[in-house]
Amino acid sequence: MKEKILVTGGTGFIGSHTVVELQRSGYEVIVIDNLSNSKVEVIDSIAEITGIRPAFEELDCLDEAGLEDVFSKYGNIKAIIHFAASKAVGESVQKPLLYYRNNIVSLINLLELMPKYDVKGIVFSSSCTVYGQPDVLPVTESAPIKKAESPYGNTKQINEEIIQDTVKSGAPIQAILLRYFNPIGAHPTALIGELPNGVPMNLIPYLTQTAIGIREKLSVFGDDYDTPDGSCIRDYINVVDLAKAHVIAIDRMLGNKQKEKVEVFNIGTGKGLSVLELIRAFEKTTGVKLNYQIVGRRTGDIEKVWANPEKANKELGWKAETSIEDTLLSAWKWQQRLREKGIQ
Ligand code: UFG
């Protein structure tokens, strides 16, 4: 058995895929999650995939005493991967204090406890949202951080700064900040995937729910952008590929391979795809015709963004591997599985 890793938000979309990859690499995983946006059954599904049941504690990261109990109960936790956060952009505009409290205080609690329990480092879920609309594409890690479009985006920026400042102050910890582009898809077993609460806000869950008949039609938000077909462009990254980047980050941290105490990496494919291209790719690979219509722009949307992932490719030896076709098929298989189970 390798070292113990604490995964906050480990029953969520990216968290659950990362727990699987960590276990596959031999790490012992302890999951904490308050189940505010996920289900405890995900732990069973993880165990079904890997044959190993991760330890699970139902806990909110705002509960510092509860967190402390976890550190002392399990002992010798070497690193944390911190996914637990509220993530709905629109909701964050309505409820900014909820977002600032949840996302910022949770991180502070972890950072305060790390030195006391000899936790070496933290891998933080950041986002390409910190770049806003980049002036230069593909965007590199050294691009300027733009003013956040939403309280949610602001929490990502602030949390990056909190980590930087804490390490700069001499705290005996290291960090790797992973800036994700648009994570999509599901595990190829279709045992874990994205489980949106209510009406999905993100493109892929809305698209697969439309394809299966839960939603009548997909709205494409705008076809008058300055892009080849007029729809917005994103860098869609397969969730299993993304999960693997976390394992590599942990290996690097615990193997003393970091070049700086805080390292930042873009985690994307390096390819931009428009909403209309994605719809076409989905129709072609699944053979399912999608009912969609072009509507007006969505407030706050970035026109186009895709990653320059060279730093992650070279430094981490990580590369996005899964094709967009296989990724879309995995998302479709997951949606069909949810239907079979009568969930959605
Ligand atoms: N889109 C549609 N119709 C939909 C949903 C989305 O056309 O029903 C379009 C959006 O306009 C956008 C693209 O699909 O062009 C992707 O939209 P998502 O909502 O899936 O993803 P975003 O790029 O808006 O959001 C992502 C992350 C957020 C992050 C945000 C920052 O999911 O966590 O980037 O811009 F904050």
Side-chain angles (χ1 to χ4, degrees):
M1 237 346 163
K2 278 209 242 169
E3 293 94 339
K4 281 182 203 162
I5 310 296
L6 179 70
V7 179
T8 76
T11 52
F13 175 42
I14 308 170
S16 57
H17 290 82
T18 301
V19 173
V20 166
E21 296 307 318
L22 283 167
Q23 290 184 325
R24 285 204 160 142
S25 298
Y27 287 105
E28 185 180 337
V29 182
I30 298 133
V31 171
I32 60 179
D33 204 302
N34 67 1
L35 302 177
S36 61
N37 195 22
S38 60
K39 299 213 158 28
V40 70
E41 291 76 24
V42 170
I43 296 291
D44 299 330
S45 306
I46 292 171
E48 203 177 330
I49 296 172
T50 63
I52 306 163
R53 172 169 288 271
F56 174 69
E57 301 284 343
E58 184 176 342
L59 184 71
D60 196 309
C61 292
L62 293 178
D63 177 359
E64 193 166 7
L67 280 178
E68 182 141 20
D69 288 345
V70 170
F71 283 112
S72 57
K73 175 176 171 186
Y74 292 95
N76 213 14
I77 289 172
K78 290 287 183 214
I80 300 170
I81 307 184
H82 183 42
F83 293 105
S86 305
K87 63 166 189 178
V89 177
E91 187 188 42
S92 80
V93 177
Q94 304 303 322
K95 302 174 184 169
L97 296 180
L98 178 84
Y99 272 67
Y100 286 116
R101 183 190 296 277
N102 271 354
N103 294 3
I104 293 173
V105 178
S106 295
L107 175 69
I108 292 174
N109 286 343
L110 292 168
L111 292 174
E112 278 179 344
L113 288 167
M114 285 172 71
K116 185 166 173 192
Y117 289 89
D118 250 342
V119 183
K120 183 167 181 167
I122 184 164
V123 175
F124 176 66
S125 292
S126 190
S127 165
C128 69
T129 192
V130 301
Y131 300 121
Q133 175 61 65
D135 301 320
V136 181
L137 288 167
V139 64
T140 67
E141 291 82 354
S142 55
I145 302 298
K146 297 267 178 80
K147 185 170 163 41
E149 293 275 345
S150 67
Y152 159 78
N154 207 16
T155 67
K156 292 293 172 194
Q157 296 187 0
I158 293 169
N159 279 349
E160 285 202 3
E161 287 176 11
I162 289 174
I163 291 171
Q164 296 275 10
D165 289 345
T166 306
V167 171
K168 238 182 263 164
S169 77
I173 58 169
Q174 289 163 224
I176 297 183
L177 317 180
L178 300 180
R179 292 181 180 157
Y180 315 151
F181 284 68
N182 285 52
I184 63 165
H187 199 266
T189 59
L191 288 167
I192 52 174
E194 193 171 2
L195 206 54
N197 231 339
V199 182
M201 296 295 160
N202 294 115
L203 179 60
I204 293 300
Y206 205 106
L207 185 155
T208 56
Q209 287 196 4
T210 307
I212 212 156
I214 298 171
R215 311 277 157 211
E216 196 204 330
K217 67 171 76 137
L218 170 73
S219 297
V220 173
F221 298 134
D223 68 347
D224 57 352
Y225 285 100
D226 182 20
T227 60
D229 64 22
S231 64
C232 290
I233 295 178
R234 296 286 183 277
D235 183 333
Y236 294 94
I237 171 79
N238 177 279
V239 67
V240 176
D241 288 346
L242 172 59
K244 288 177 179 167
H246 294 79
V247 180
I248 294 173
I250 289 288
D251 289 344
R252 179 176 176 92
M253 183 178 275
L254 299 184
N256 297 317
K257 305 265 167 51
Q258 279 185 240
K259 293 194 172 147
E260 291 160 298
K261 285 192 168 174
V262 183
E263 293 183 320
V264 185
F265 296 100
N266 280 345
I267 304 295
T269 67
K271 286 187 210 88
L273 217 59
S274 76
V275 176
L276 292 172
E277 283 173 324
L278 198 85
I279 291 173
R280 258 174 246 121
F282 179 84
E283 289 184 330
K284 194 161 169 226
T285 44
T286 61
V288 180
K289 190 104 192 72
L290 200 75
N291 190 18
Y292 71 90
Q293 66 176 356
I294 313 281
V295 300
R297 293 182 176 196
R298 180 171 72 175
T299 315
D301 259 339
I302 299 296
E303 183 170 84
K304 50 192 165 197
V305 62
W306 62 95
N308 179 333
E310 265 171 38
K311 188 176 174 207
N313 298 163
K314 286 194 188 123
E315 290 282 329
L316 297 180
W318 171 90
K319 206 171 188 318
E321 284 168 350
T322 315
S323 67
I324 189 70
E325 289 79 14
D326 284 348
T327 301
L328 291 171
L329 275 175
S330 72
W332 181 228
K333 205 167 138 193
W334 166 246
Q335 183 68 65
Q336 289 172 308
R337 169 96 179 189
L338 289 177
R339 166 61 53 87
E340 279 163 25
K341 294 207 300 191
I343 299 173
Q344 275 175 358

